[in-house]
Structures are given as C-alpha cells and as structure tokens.
C-alpha cells in the first residue's frame, strides 16, 4: 500500500493531482494543512472526489471529521505522548508517527498503523535523515498489532527496499510533490511495488 502525504503549503492543481492519484491506485491520502481555516479545509476536501472520502486522513481539524465524512485521523507524536487520542478513539481509525523502532514496538492496538521515519534521507525536508535513518531498525520490529509504514526519502528507486526490510506499507511526500509529473512519479512507484 502507498500512502501519500499532502505538502503543508498548497500546490497548484493539488486536488486534480490527488483525484488522479486515487484513480491510479493511491490507498490513503493524509491531509496536512494545519494552517487552514475551517472554511478552507471544507473547501479543500470538497475538491476531492467524494467517492474517496473514506481514504482521506486528517492531521488537524478533527472537529470537522464527522461533517466531512472522514473516518481516519492521524495523531502527531507529541499529541500521542499527551494521550490526546482518547477523545477520538470511538468511531475513528487512528494512525500516528514515531521516530524509533522501540517506540513503534511499544504502541498498543488502538493504532491501525504508524509512520516510522526517516527510512532514507528526506526529499522534502532538506537535511532530515542525513545523519541517522531507521531502515536497518525495521528488522527489530516485534509489534504484531500495528502496521509499520516506512516514511522519509522513499522513491521509485528505493521503495522495494523498505518492504524488504520489513515495512508493511510506504508513505511518500517529496517523491511525488517535488516531481514535475507527480502522477507519473506515483504510477512508476506503484508499478515497481505491484508489478
């Protein structure tokens, strides 16, 4: 499964790209637009084909989830550490982020999946993952209850390595959004993984 994260800042024709990616097999789309007003978030989600609503994941604006028909929420690591997920445990599928395999291994089954990053040096965050990556740590995974999603620097050339190291799924950002042909970049990765 390939999960795509939105860029934090708007990209030209973003919703057109997202709809095109869903048509090409995108599994889940994480919406990272913390700076949006409520009206902007409603408009943004409204531009994504309604048939994909169950594949959208909010990183913010949780109070709009029911109104928007979104059933998936991503709780940031710092919010998880403060147990803020308890307000959303009923009726939502939850995911989170971690940066160490030991943290991943300690997650309980309330989490459907967790991003573990960076598996490679980041494409979108310059300098992130240059001195330390977690790819080799994936082999120390011992949590059978939570799906492990490799994030950080994943692209068409290295995506297979992430699965081979023990990840269940991958998440991408820069490999798609920093490409002048985002749909083709995604499609190449999809074919690499799925044949």
């Amino acid at each position: 499964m390939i999960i795509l994260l939105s860029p934090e800042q708007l990209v030209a024709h973003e919703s057109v790209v997202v709809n095109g990616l869903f048509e090409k097999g995108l599994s889940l789309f994480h919406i990272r637009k913390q700076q949006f007003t409520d009206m902007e978030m409603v408009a943004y989600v409204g531009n994504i084909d309604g048939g994909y609503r169950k594949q959208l994941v909010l990183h913010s604006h949780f109070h709009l989830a029911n109104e928007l028909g979104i059933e998936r929420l991503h709780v940031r690591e710092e919010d998880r550490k403060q147990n803020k997920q308890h307000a959303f445990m009923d009726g939502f599928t939850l995911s989170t982020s971690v940066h160490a395999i030991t943290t991943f291994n300690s997650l309980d089954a309330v989490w459907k999946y967790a991003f573990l990053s960076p598996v490679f040096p980041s494409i979108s965050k310059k300098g992130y993952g240059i001195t330390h990556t977690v790819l080799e740590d994936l082999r120390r995974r011992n949590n059978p209850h939570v799906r492990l999603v490799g994030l950080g620097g994943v692209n068409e050339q290295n995506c297979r390595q992430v699965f081979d190291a023990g990840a269940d799924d991958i998440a991408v950002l820069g490999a798609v959004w920093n490409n002048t042909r985002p749909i083709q970049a995604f499609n190449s990765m999809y074919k690499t993984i799925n044949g």
Side-chain angles (χ1 to χ4, degrees):
M1 173 166 78
I2 302 177
I3 297 171
L4 177 66
L5 283 71
S6 78
E8 291 185 352
Q9 304 303 319
L10 268 178
V11 169
H13 313 292
E14 194 168 316
S15 59
V16 174
V17 172
V18 171
N19 286 323
L21 292 171
F22 275 128
E23 289 171 18
K24 294 289 185 185
L26 177 63
S27 300
L28 296 171
F29 179 60
H30 279 240
I31 301 173
R32 300 162 57 246
K33 304 289 185 185
Q34 287 87 343
Q35 78 283 7
F36 273 9
T37 65
D38 287 358
M39 285 179 59
E40 287 171 328
M41 181 60 80
V42 169
Y44 180 86
V45 171
N47 285 328
I48 298 171
D49 189 306
Y52 301 120
R53 204 55 59 95
K54 293 192 182 313
Q55 294 166 265
L56 301 180
V57 185
L58 287 177
H59 279 229
S60 62
H61 299 74
F62 292 171
H63 60 284
L64 296 176
N66 287 324
E67 174 187 338
L68 294 171
I70 294 177
E71 301 171 354
R72 297 171 175 272
L73 307 177
H74 186 85
V75 179
R76 297 178 315 148
E77 186 168 35
E78 49 271 27
D79 291 337
R80 186 190 72 248
K81 289 176 179 176
Q82 297 173 31
N83 291 312
K84 291 186 178 179
Q85 68 273 14
H86 291 292
F88 306 102
M89 287 172 64
D90 292 332
F92 291 101
T93 299
L94 300 178
S95 59
T96 191
S97 300
V98 299
H99 297 90
I101 195 67
T102 51
T103 308
F104 175 84
N105 285 336
S106 69
L107 292 174
D108 60 34
V110 69
W111 307 103
K112 179 79 171 176
Y113 58 90
F115 294 147
L116 177 60
S117 68
V119 288
F120 300 108
S122 177
I123 297 167
S124 58
K125 286 186 191 173
K126 294 301 175 208
Y128 182 60
I130 295 295
T131 58
H132 174 73
T133 61
V134 297
L135 183 67
E136 294 305 315
D137 298 340
L138 270 60
R139 300 182 200 293
R140 297 192 353 249
R141 170 194 186 174
N142 62 19
N143 185 338
H145 308 293
V146 182
R147 292 182 69 81
L148 191 154
V149 181
L151 169 67
V154 181
N155 60 31
E156 179 187 356
Q157 288 72 41
N158 63 26
C159 58
R160 198 65 254 162
Q161 282 180 260
V162 186
F163 288 100
D164 293 343
D168 296 302
D169 306 300
I170 59 169
V172 297
L173 197 162
V176 170
W177 297 112
N178 290 7
N179 194 299
T180 55
R181 301 173 72 189
I183 294 175
Q184 290 85 341
F186 171 85
N187 203 34
S188 294
M189 230 178 309
Y190 185 87
K191 287 178 178 174
T192 298
I193 292 164
N194 298 299

